[in-house]
Amino acid sequence: MSSALEYWPAPPPWGWTAEDLDHLPPEGPNGEPDFFEHVELIDGALVLRAPQRRFHQRLIRGLTACLDSQAPAHLAPVHRMDVKLGHRTRPCPDVAVIDAEAAADMARTFYETREVHLVIEIVSPESVERDRKLKPLRYAEAGIPHFWRVEENEGRPVVYVYERDPATGSYGLTGIHHGLLTVSVPFQIEIDLDALVK
């Protein structure tokens, strides 16, 4: 079987696979440095993410720090690390809460769904369709129990909290949080949302 890289920069006829992401060249097709730091794999297609806005960056750092200070010892938050949902899908959520044992492995480039307890996506103008529709569907199908979608409303974060229904395999909305987020799953969490962007 041919290597996917033989077709670069075009996709291979069979589409990209989750394993291919670990073998992509360090530079983009025109010599762009760190080109693939902004790539996800969704249904066999490489998806380029737009540069982050400052709001997005502040929330990633703030949410990761808050979750880190409150997580029990067996769990750990990580940011911008891939989650392998299947052979052809490997998104990179903004923040995830995973098993601490998996987080301790410094050689990892992605985590398996069985190691992931919560994924958080912060919606950007270019990612609205993916973050509101496609990614939650794929995360739920893969069995990840908790999903948060963060939206911006007049410069302030609003968090939509979802929990997976094991009977249907889909997410149900359990709350919309403005100002203060308080939940009891996947562990007891309280976050002053407005403070994340001050």
Side-chain angles (χ1 to χ4, degrees):
M1 184 174 178
S2 299
S3 165
L5 291 178
E6 292 177 27
Y7 298 89
W8 178 253
W14 58 87
W16 299 100
T17 69
E19 289 73 26
D20 291 332
L21 266 61
D22 288 329
H23 305 288
L24 292 173
E27 296 181 337
N30 298 307
E32 304 92 338
D34 302 322
F35 183 79
F36 290 107
E37 286 185 7
H38 305 285
V39 171
E40 298 181 282
L41 180 69
I42 307 292
D43 296 333
L46 296 181
V47 177
L48 302 178
R49 297 191 308 263
Q52 284 181 12
R53 295 180 302 139
R54 179 68 172 141
F55 178 86
H56 202 112
Q57 183 188 48
R58 289 285 297 271
L59 283 178
I60 289 174
R61 290 183 178 180
L63 287 169
T64 304
C66 288
L67 292 168
D68 192 42
S69 69
Q70 299 176 45
H74 69 283
L75 297 177
V78 295
H79 64 277
R80 291 298 175 111
M81 287 292 294
D82 292 359
V83 175
K84 182 181 175 184
L85 303 184
H87 182 61
R88 293 166 42 86
T89 301
R90 185 171 146 177
C92 183
D94 291 307
V95 181
V97 174
I98 65 171
D99 291 336
E101 183 178 350
D105 183 350
M106 295 298 139
R108 297 287 290 271
T109 59
F110 65 87
Y111 300 106
E112 301 285 352
T113 54
R114 68 180 180 276
E115 300 169 318
V116 181
H117 302 268
L118 165 68
V119 288
I120 304 172
E121 294 288 0
I122 301 164
V123 178
S124 296
E126 60 85 26
S127 70
V128 169
E129 290 295 314
R130 290 192 307 277
D131 291 344
R132 289 182 181 171
K133 297 178 181 178
L134 182 57
K135 285 186 175 182
L137 179 64
R138 295 291 180 262
Y139 290 140
E141 288 173 346
I144 295 174
H146 301 281
F147 171 73
W148 296 358
R149 189 184 80 245
V150 185
E151 304 263 0
E152 181 181 357
N153 182 23
E154 298 181 351
R156 299 169 64 191
V158 179
V159 180
Y160 296 77
V161 173
Y162 296 84
E163 187 169 347
R164 186 176 182 272
D165 180 345
T168 64
S170 60
Y171 287 129
L173 182 67
T174 61
I176 302 174
H177 301 261
H178 304 255
L180 182 68
L181 180 148
T182 304
V183 294
S184 58
V185 289
F187 53 92
Q188 191 66 45
I189 302 168
E190 183 172 305
I191 300 174
D192 181 347
L193 298 173
D194 292 340
L196 300 179
V197 292
K198 286 181 180 176

